[in-house]
């Protein structure tokens, strides 16, 4: 710090001296003295900022160098996806659950519940980091940040592990992933990093060894001491109304009530000596395509592939990702759990699906022209917003660096997410902050924002839809139709004290979709899976058992 300050002062003094030698007036001037003072202040600020930025950049690491002991990396569609697995699969009656986290979060958001869910459901439970967050690779193409792509990644992670467990054939997996795509898991630490840290490569483990290790692994609570919020005995909810909405009894914070081992959160800084430094870690296992083929072939020769019960769980923006996957590939989904879903529903009345191009459009010609002009203006606005975000990318990067690096930013954000601010511990804050140590995290976040304003339809398709009177349905409406067509059961979980996504939106969403049950947790905020893990687990277990 002293060296940094000394260098900044020296450069500032030299700048002011050079300015004085070149621009010094013949007599004293207040304006000249003020300009020298401003130059000194500006030079000092710029120098300190640049030196501090260099210090931050030196601390950044590759995604795979920040992994936990149970992290897994798998390359899917050209993206190295980071995920975690709790393998408690009953191969005779396989159930697979995948969890999608929300905006600004990472896999840690599910750490309170995913191992307990695996144990109680006798299921495979996976969770992955959304592109742009956590330890998943940041794609260069903004299409890699779309909700649809993230929804697909979650499905592929789930099915890849099902194939490794021998309950899904490699042919079925290839039909989803696509021919020729790499299924091998990526080494979590590069050879160069291993040579620096002295880590030795491990030989590839067999699928059975991996499943046993995953099911027996316990969270490392060496650096964390989390406590459950709420009464562990409140397993039932009182029904109110005829729409399936339920309320849980009031839950009081009990500082002495700790979460059961199977649902205890992972340490946000396990395998690390401090938040600032990362210790050496072992390599992950690698499952080759041949191993997947052998395991699935063995299952094929012994008996017919069992029917797999797949359930997707999405929180906040992750709920929109899970919904996007259900909309596109709903055939094999048995259940959908939406936790404080960021899926906007303006109405509780479901509209009919839009007419096809072959059906007659009775709109008068002047009405069609008006629709086309409005669509044209919308497309121009969307494209312009995308161009502006691209041009402002350097400024946005600097702004994000200043904002996100502040610990206070995360404390305030998490305090708004939790109903009780007392639950926001230092360990929780560090777990959410950790991914900002990833090299290029800010560019990934900017691309994620750009992807939000991008339109997946082409310019011509937008105008064609407008001319034919085809108004695009909202995601809520598309999901409602998909759920109705495939008879998929839906559970919505929402905290009544959510300050980020109002519970009224979930009430409309529950009325919009068939086969939907809504449970509202009293004295709970935006993250029920973190605030009330035991109640969350019980609600999900009851729902999955009915699917």
């Amino acid at each position: 710090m002293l060296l940094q300050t000394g260098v900044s002062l020296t450069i500032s003094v030299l700048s002011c001296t050079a300015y004085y030698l070149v621009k010094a007036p013949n007599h004293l001037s207040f304006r000249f003295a003020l300009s020298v003072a401003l130059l000194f202040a500006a030079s000092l600020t710029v120098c300190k900022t640049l030196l501090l930025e260099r210090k931050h950049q030196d601390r950044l690491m590759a995604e795979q160098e920040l992994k936990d002991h149970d992290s897994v990396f798998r390359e899917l569609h050209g993206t190295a996806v980071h995920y975690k697995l709790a393998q408690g699969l009953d191969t005779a009656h396989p159930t697979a659950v995948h969890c999608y986290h929300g905006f600004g979060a990472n896999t840690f958001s599910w750490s309170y519940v995913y191992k307990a869910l695996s144990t109680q459901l006798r299921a495979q439970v996976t969770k992955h980091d959304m592109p742009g967050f956590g330890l998943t690779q940041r794609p260069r193409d903004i299409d890699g940040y779309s909700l649809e792509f993230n929804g697909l990644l979650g499905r592929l992670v789930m099915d890849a592990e099902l194939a490794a467990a021998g309950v899904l054939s490699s042919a079925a997996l290839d039909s989803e992933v696509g021919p020729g795509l790499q299924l091998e898991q990526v080494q979590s630490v590069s050879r160069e990093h291993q040579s620096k840290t002295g880590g030795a490569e491990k030989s590839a483990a067999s699928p059975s060894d991996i499943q046993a290790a995953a099911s027996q692994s316990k969270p490392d609570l060496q650096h964390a001491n989390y406590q459950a919020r709420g009464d562990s005995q409140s397993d039932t909810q009182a029904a109110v109304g005829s729409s399936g909405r339920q309320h849980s009894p009031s839950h009081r914070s009990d500082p002495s009530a700790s979460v059961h081992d199977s649902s205890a959160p992972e340490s946000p800084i396990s395998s690390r000596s401090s938040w600032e430094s990362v210790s050496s870690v072992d390599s992950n296992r690698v499952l080759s395509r041949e191993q997947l083929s052998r395991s699935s072939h063995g299952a094929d020769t012994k008996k017919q592939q069992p029917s797999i019960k797949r359930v997707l769980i999405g929180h906040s923006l992750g709920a929109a990702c899970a919904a996007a996957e259900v909309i596109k590939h709903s055939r094999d989904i048995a259940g959908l759990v939406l936790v404080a879903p960021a899926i906007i529903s303006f109405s509780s009345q479901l509209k009919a699906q839009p007419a096809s191009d072959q059906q007659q459009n009775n709109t008068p010609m002047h009405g069609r022209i008006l629709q086309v002009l409005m669509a044209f203006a919308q497309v121009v606005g969307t494209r312009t917003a995308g161009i502006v975000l691209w041009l402002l990318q350097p400024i946005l990067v600097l702004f994000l660096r200043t904002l996100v690096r502040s610990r206070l930013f995360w404390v305030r954000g998490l305090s708004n997410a939790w109903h009780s601010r007392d639950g926001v511990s230092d360990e929780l804050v560090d777990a959410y902050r950790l991914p900002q140590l990833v090299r290029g995290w800010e560019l990934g976040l900017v691309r994620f924002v750009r992807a939000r304003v991008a339109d997946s339809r082409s310019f011509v398709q937008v105008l064609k839809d407008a001319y034919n009177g085809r108004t695009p349905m909202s995601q809520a409406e598309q999901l409602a139709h998909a759920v109705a067509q495939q008879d998929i059961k839906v559970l919505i979980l929402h905290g009544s004290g959510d300050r980020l996504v109002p519970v009224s939106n979930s009430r409309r969403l529950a009325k919009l979709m068939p086969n939907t049950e809504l449970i509202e947790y009293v004295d709970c905020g935006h993250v029920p899976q973190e605030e009330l893990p035991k109640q969350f687990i019980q609600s999900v277990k009851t729902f999955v058992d009915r699917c």
Side-chain angles (χ1 to χ4, degrees):
M1 179 62 74
L2 292 177
L3 179 61
Q4 175 182 330
T5 302
V7 171
S8 301
L9 287 173
T10 300
I11 295 177
S12 300
V13 170
L14 291 176
S15 300
C16 292
T17 301
Y19 178 73
Y20 176 80
L21 293 175
V22 174
K23 295 290 186 178
N26 296 328
H27 53 82
L28 293 177
S29 169
F30 174 77
R31 178 181 296 180
F32 181 76
L34 180 60
S35 64
V36 171
L38 292 175
L39 176 62
F40 179 83
S43 300
L44 185 62
T45 301
V46 170
C47 290
K48 292 182 68 175
T49 301
L50 292 177
L51 290 174
L52 182 62
E53 182 60 33
R54 180 178 178 181
K55 181 180 178 181
H56 279 296
Q57 293 298 321
D58 290 340
R59 293 173 53 200
L60 300 181
M61 304 179 186
E63 291 90 349
Q64 297 170 27
E65 294 177 314
L66 289 166
K67 73 151 194 173
D68 291 317
H69 67 282
D70 55 348
S71 292
V72 183
F73 289 86
R74 187 184 292 273
E75 186 171 334
L76 297 168
H77 285 281
T79 301
V81 181
H82 170 256
Y83 67 94
K84 295 190 177 185
L85 163 71
Q87 190 60 283
L89 189 67
D90 178 3
T91 55
H93 305 282
T95 298
V97 177
H98 188 80
C99 304
Y100 299 83
H101 67 77
F103 180 84
N106 54 73
T107 56
F108 179 84
S109 181
W110 299 105
S111 296
Y112 292 75
V113 298
Y114 86 112
K115 289 185 178 179
L117 283 174
S118 176
T119 300
Q120 297 193 26
L121 294 173
R122 301 183 66 188
Q124 168 190 292
V125 180
T126 50
K127 55 177 183 173
H128 81 287
D129 282 329
M130 184 188 306
F133 305 95
L135 302 183
T136 289
Q137 181 184 7
R138 273 68 177 167
R140 290 184 176 274
D141 190 348
I142 64 171
D143 290 339
Y145 298 89
S146 68
L147 302 182
E148 292 78 9
F149 184 70
N150 185 55
L152 176 62
L153 289 182
R155 171 64 176 266
L156 294 180
V157 165
M158 175 173 60
D159 284 358
E161 288 297 335
L162 287 172
V167 298
L168 182 67
S169 68
S170 58
L173 184 62
D174 286 342
S175 67
E176 295 179 0
V177 181
L181 286 176
Q182 185 177 355
L183 291 179
E184 290 79 7
Q185 292 186 12
V186 183
Q187 291 287 2
S188 295
V189 183
S190 65
R191 295 180 183 271
E192 179 183 359
H193 177 68
Q194 287 179 353
S195 64
K196 291 180 180 178
T197 59
E201 287 190 80
K202 290 186 176 181
S203 58
S206 66
S208 60
D209 293 337
I210 294 162
Q211 294 166 21
S215 62
Q216 294 173 5
S217 63
K218 297 295 181 181
D220 179 10
L221 298 180
Q222 180 179 358
H223 301 286
N225 182 22
Y226 288 93
Q227 294 177 334
R229 300 290 173 182
D231 182 5
S232 61
Q233 302 300 322
S234 54
D235 293 335
T236 59
Q237 290 86 13
V240 293
S242 58
S243 63
R245 186 184 311 136
Q246 296 182 357
H247 290 272
S248 65
S250 178
H251 306 297
R252 298 178 181 177
S253 298
D254 183 4
S256 64
S258 60
V259 182
H260 187 271
D261 286 346
S262 61
S263 62
E266 307 162 34
S267 168
I269 49 177
S270 61
S271 302
R272 299 175 177 86
S273 58
S274 66
W275 191 79
E276 289 80 5
S277 62
V278 181
S279 62
S280 61
V281 290
D282 293 331
S283 299
N284 263 342
R285 59 190 172 95
V286 179
L287 291 181
S288 64
R289 178 182 293 273
E290 288 75 16
Q291 286 174 301
L292 292 177
S293 299
R294 285 199 299 270
S295 63
S296 60
H297 177 70
D300 288 334
T301 56
K302 292 180 182 179
K303 60 181 179 179
Q304 186 179 4
Q305 293 287 331
S307 176
I308 303 172
K309 181 192 294 186
R310 293 180 176 87
V311 177
L312 302 182
I313 304 179
H315 170 244
S316 193
L317 187 64
C321 298
E325 179 60 18
V326 169
I327 292 169
K328 298 199 72 172
H329 309 103
S330 59
R331 184 171 55 86
D332 297 327
I333 303 298
L336 175 65
V337 181
L338 304 176
V339 186
I343 303 174
I344 300 177
S345 177
F346 295 104
S347 173
S348 58
Q349 300 297 324
L350 181 59
K351 300 178 183 178
Q353 289 183 303
S356 62
D357 293 342
Q358 288 74 23
Q359 291 180 307
Q360 184 177 2
N361 183 4
N362 297 322
T363 305
M365 182 56 64
H366 68 274
R368 294 192 183 191
I369 295 176
L370 181 60
Q371 290 175 349
V372 170
L373 291 176
M374 293 176 62
F376 178 81
Q378 182 181 2
V379 172
V380 171
T382 300
R383 300 294 193 275
T384 302
I387 294 174
V388 170
L389 286 174
W390 180 78
L391 293 175
L392 294 179
Q393 186 166 287
I395 299 176
L396 292 176
V397 166
L398 293 176
F399 172 74
L400 287 173
R401 287 173 178 174
T402 303
L403 182 67
V404 175
R405 284 172 182 165
S406 170
R407 185 181 183 85
L408 183 60
F409 167 80
W410 291 98
V411 171
R412 288 176 175 173
L414 291 171
S415 297
N416 286 330
W418 280 60
H419 180 266
S420 174
R421 290 176 171 83
D422 295 336
V424 181
S425 63
D426 291 340
E427 290 84 3
L428 181 69
V429 174
D430 287 342
Y432 273 83
R433 292 182 68 202
L434 183 66
Q436 76 181 59
L437 292 177
V438 173
R439 190 176 296 114
W441 67 267
E442 61 275 78
L443 288 174
L445 190 54
V446 171
R447 291 168 187 158
F448 181 87
V449 174
R450 287 174 56 197
R452 300 284 68 75
V453 300
D455 195 333
S456 59
R457 297 177 300 166
S458 66
F459 184 82
V460 174
Q461 185 62 44
V462 172
L463 298 183
K464 183 179 178 181
D465 288 344
Y467 180 80
N468 291 319
R470 291 174 56 88
T471 304
M473 292 189 297
S474 66
Q475 187 184 47
E477 293 172 326
Q478 294 180 59
L479 179 60
H481 283 292
V483 165
Q485 291 171 0
Q486 298 296 330
D487 194 26
I488 299 173
K489 291 182 172 59
V490 181
L491 172 66
I492 301 178
L493 303 176
H494 211 128
S496 61
D498 192 340
R499 291 184 285 266
L500 301 182
V501 178
V503 69
S504 58
N505 183 75
S506 287
R507 292 170 184 161
R508 289 191 297 270
L509 197 60
K511 293 179 180 180
L512 181 69
M513 297 188 297
N515 304 323
T516 300
E517 175 187 8
L518 170 63
I519 297 178
E520 297 180 16
Y521 293 120
V522 178
D523 295 335
C524 181
H526 187 60
V527 281
Q529 73 275 19
E530 297 180 17
E531 298 177 72
L532 301 174
K534 292 184 178 180
Q535 290 86 328
F536 179 90
I537 292 167
Q538 183 60 42
S539 299
V540 173
K541 182 180 184 302
T542 302
F543 170 75
V544 174
D545 289 342
R546 293 200 309 265
C547 288

